[in-house]
Amino acid sequence: EPEVTQTPSHQVTQMGQEVILRCVPISNHLYFYWYRQILGQKVEFLVSFYNNEISEKSEIFDDQFSVERPDGSNFTLKIRSTKLEDSAMYFCASSHQTRPADTQYFGPGTRLTVL
Amino acid sequence: RKEVEQDPGPFNVPEGATVAFNCTYSNSASQSFFWYRQDCRKEPKLLMSVYSSGNEDGRFTAQLNRASQYISLLIRDSKLSDSATYLCVVTMAAGNKLTFGGGTRVLVKP
C-alpha cells in the first residue's frame, strides 16, 4: 500500500538554526499539506500546496516558514530560524484531490527538538 | 469557543464492552467529518468518514447530527488494540484543511 514517507524521523537543532524537513507524498497525489503537533496538544494545520504554489496557510505559517516541491517527488518544509516553540511533531500529508471528503494520508512525522 | 471540541477522557473500558463519545464543532458550514485514530507519538490514521445518514464499519459506528453540530463514535466489543486517542476532524466550507479536535483517549483493559 502506498504511503507518505518523511525524513528525518527526529531532528535536533540549536535555536536560530535553519532546518529542512522532507516528505515524499504518495505518487499520484496532487495536494500536499504540513501539520504540526506540539507535545500534548492538538494537531494544527500549517499549509497546503497545489500546483507548485501555496493554496492556504495558517497564522502559524509566518515568514520563517517556507515550502517547496524541488522535484517531482519531494515536498519540503523549511524553518529559517528556529525558535524553542517550534519544537513539535511535524506531519506531512497528501491527498489525491481537494474535495473535502477526500482522505488525507499522513506520514509518520518528524520530531523536531529545538534547544 | 474551540472549533472542534472533545472530551479528553480517558475513557477506561473493560475489554468487550461498548464505549461511545462525542465531539462538537462550531462552524455550521462545515462540510465533511472524520474520525482519525492516533497512537502514542504516531501519525493520525483515518478510521472512518462520517456521513449524515450515519455509517458503520465493523465494530465502529459514527453518527452526525448537523442540527446540534455534533459527531459521535461508538465502539462495540472493545479490543485491547482499540486503546488509542480518537481525533474528531472536520473540514470547513472555505477550504480543504483539516481541523482537529484535541482527541479523546480510550484505554481498553483486560
Side-chain angles (χ1 to χ4, degrees), chain B:
Chain B
R1 185 180 171 187
K2 292 180 185 175
E3 290 181 277
V4 181
E5 205 149 357
Q6 295 185 249
D7 182 339
F11 285 63
N12 294 298
V13 185
E15 193 176 8
T18 295
V19 60
F21 42 89
N22 298 334
C23 100
T24 58
Y25 59 95
S26 61
N27 191 331
S28 59
S30 299
Q31 288 192 358
S32 298
F33 310 90
F34 309 91
W35 283 105
Y36 275 72
R37 171 196 168 122
Q38 186 174 33
D39 294 297
C40 189
R41 295 178 178 254
K42 300 284 189 181
E43 75 273 25
K45 290 187 178 178
L46 180 68
L47 180 67
M48 58 198 301
S49 301
V50 187
Y51 304 118
S52 296
S53 54
N55 49 301
E56 193 173 301
D57 183 359
R59 298 180 294 106
F60 298 84
T61 301
Q63 297 278 352
L64 167 64
N65 185 318
R66 284 189 184 269
S68 301
Q69 294 181 209
Y70 78 81
I71 307 147
S72 65
L73 181 67
L74 182 145
I75 308 173
R76 280 186 303 279
D77 187 23
S78 299
K79 312 288 184 198
L80 297 176
S81 56
D82 294 332
S83 296
T85 297
Y86 291 84
L87 307 176
C88 179
V89 182
V90 306
T91 56
M92 304 301 177
N96 59 334
K97 68 177 184 183
L98 299 181
T99 300
F100 286 78
T104 296
R105 191 160 169 232
V106 172
L107 296 172
V108 182
K109 300 190 173 179

Side-chain angles (χ1 to χ4, degrees), chain A residues 31 33 35 37 39 42-45 48 55-56 89 91 95 97-109 111, chain B residues 2-4 31-32 34 36 38 41-46 49 51 87 91-92 94-103:
Chain A
Y31 298 85
Y33 314 85
Y35 294 83
Q37 186 175 30
L39 188 63
K42 65 178 183 177
V43 177
E44 299 174 290
F45 169 77
S48 58
S55 47
E56 188 177 3
M89 192 75 148
F91 294 109
S95 66
Q97 296 188 51
T98 193
R99 292 172 307 177
D102 282 332
T103 301
Q104 292 185 24
Y105 294 90
F106 284 75
R111 180 166 299 283
Chain B
K2 292 180 185 175
E3 290 181 277
V4 181
Q31 288 192 358
S32 298
F34 309 91
Y36 275 72
Q38 186 174 33
R41 295 178 178 254
K42 300 284 189 181
E43 75 273 25
K45 290 187 178 178
L46 180 68
S49 301
Y51 304 118
L87 307 176
T91 56
M92 304 301 177
N96 59 334
K97 68 177 184 183
L98 299 181
T99 300
F100 286 78

Side-chain angles (χ1 to χ4, degrees), chain A residues 48-101:
Chain A
S48 58
F49 191 87
Y50 169 70
N51 200 25
N52 283 320
E53 61 183 26
I54 291 173
S55 47
E56 188 177 3
K57 60 183 180 179
S58 71
E59 290 177 355
I60 303 167
F61 194 88
D62 61 21
D63 292 344
Q64 292 301 309
F65 290 86
S66 62
V67 289
E68 197 177 32
R69 188 152 162 83
D71 53 43
S73 59
N74 289 285
F75 179 51
T76 62
L77 174 69
K78 182 193 291 186
I79 308 175
R80 256 180 278 282
S81 177
T82 50
K83 307 184 192 69
L84 295 176
E85 54 264 37
D86 293 329
S87 294
M89 192 75 148
Y90 288 81
F91 294 109
C92 174
S94 69
S95 66
H96 184 58
Q97 296 188 51
T98 193
R99 292 172 307 177

